[in-house]
Amino acid sequence: MMQSQPEATHRPAQLQLVNVWKRFGEGERQTVAVRNVDLSIAPGEFVTLIGPSGCGKSTLFNMIAGLLPPDPDGSILLAGRPQMDGALLGKISFMPQRDLLFPWRTVLDNATIALEVEGMPRKAARQKAEALFPDFGLQGFEKHYPHQLSGGMRQRVALMRTFLFERDLILLDEPFGALDALTRSMMQRWLLEIWARHRRTVLFITHDIDEAIFLGDKVVVMTARPGTVRCEVKVDLPRPRDASILTDPEFMEIKRRLLAVVEEESMKSFAAAVAP
Ligand SMILES: Nc1ncnc2c1ncn2[C@@H]1O[C@H](COP(=O)(O)OP(=O)(O)OP(=O)(O)O)[C@@H](O)[C@H]1O
Ligand SMILES: [Mg+2]
C-alpha cells in the first residue's frame, strides 16, 4: 500500500517538487521548516497532505504558490515550468489557512476579488461568479455580507473564490478546519462533487485522517519538523464516494496504517516542543 508515485510517462506532472527546502533565520536561531521534499502530482489528481502542526505544510504551500522563495537547493515545477522568483505567481488558485472574507464586501463581491485583481471588468466578473452560486449552495445570498452567513457558507464563499480563479492547480490549506463534524462531512461530499464537475488538480491540507482518505487519490504524510515526506499512501477506493466507504475494510486498513505513522510523527513533534 505504501508506495511512491509512479513516474508520469505521457504528460508532465501537474506539480513536481524536487528536493525542496526552506530555512528561516540564521545560525542558532535558524528554523529548518521544510527539508528535502520530493513530491509529484499528476494532472487531475486529488492529493491530501497530513502532518503534525508546525511541520511546514503551509510553508510548502506558500512556496508552491510563489509567495515565498524556496531555498536554492531544489526546484518546484508546474506542468514542467519552474516556479522561480514567483514566476508562476497567479498560476495557481490558493486558499490560505486563514482565509478572510472582506466584511464590507457582499458575498458576490468577495467571490469576484481575484478576477477583479486580474483585470476582469467588474460586470463580467459578477456574471461569471453568479453562474457558480447554485453549485456552491449560495443562491439567494449574493447580496448578503459575510457576517450574515453560517461558518459553512463562509467557507463555501472562500472556496468559490478559489474555484473562480480558474487555474489547473488548487491549493486548499485546511479549508474545513473550523467546521463542526456534521457540516464538515457534508462539505467533503460536496467538494468531491464540485471537483468531479470542474476537474482540477487539488492539493489539500488537513489534520483529519478520515478526511484525508475520504477525499484523496493519495495521502501524503509529512514528518515532524523539519518536515519532509514520510510516506505516500494510495487510496484506490472507488468514486463517487459516500459515507459508506468509512466502514469499508480497505478504508479501515489505510486508516490503521496512517494512524500509526501520524501518531509517531506527532509524538516526535510533541517531544521536540516540550524538550528543555
Ligand atoms: N515567515 C516565517 N518566519 C519564520 N519562521 C516561520 C515563518 N513561517 C513559518 N515559520 C516556521 O516554520 C515552521 C512551519 O510552519 P508552518 O506554518 O508551515 O506549519 P504547518 O505545518 O502549516 O502547521 P499547522 O498545521 O499548525 O498549520 C514553524 O516552526 C514556523 O514557526
Ligand atoms: Mg498550516
Side-chain angles (χ1 to χ4, degrees), residues 24 31 33 52-59 97 174 207 225:
F24 290 110
T31 304
S53 184
C55 76
K57 303 180 294 298
S58 296
T59 302
Q97 191 164 6
E174 294 195 50
H207 277 110
R225 191 177 60 245

Side-chain angles (χ1 to χ4, degrees), residues 94-133:
F94 180 28
M95 179 168 162
Q97 191 164 6
R98 277 163 283 277
D99 197 11
L100 296 175
L101 300 176
F102 294 124
W104 60 87
R105 280 191 158 220
T106 63
V107 167
L108 182 59
D109 290 340
N110 264 289
T112 57
I113 285 172
L115 299 176
E116 288 175 47
V117 169
E118 264 201 312
M120 186 181 284
R122 186 175 261 205
K123 194 168 167 218
R126 282 183 164 173
Q127 271 171 1
K128 197 169 170 195
E130 273 167 346
L132 278 191
F133 271 69

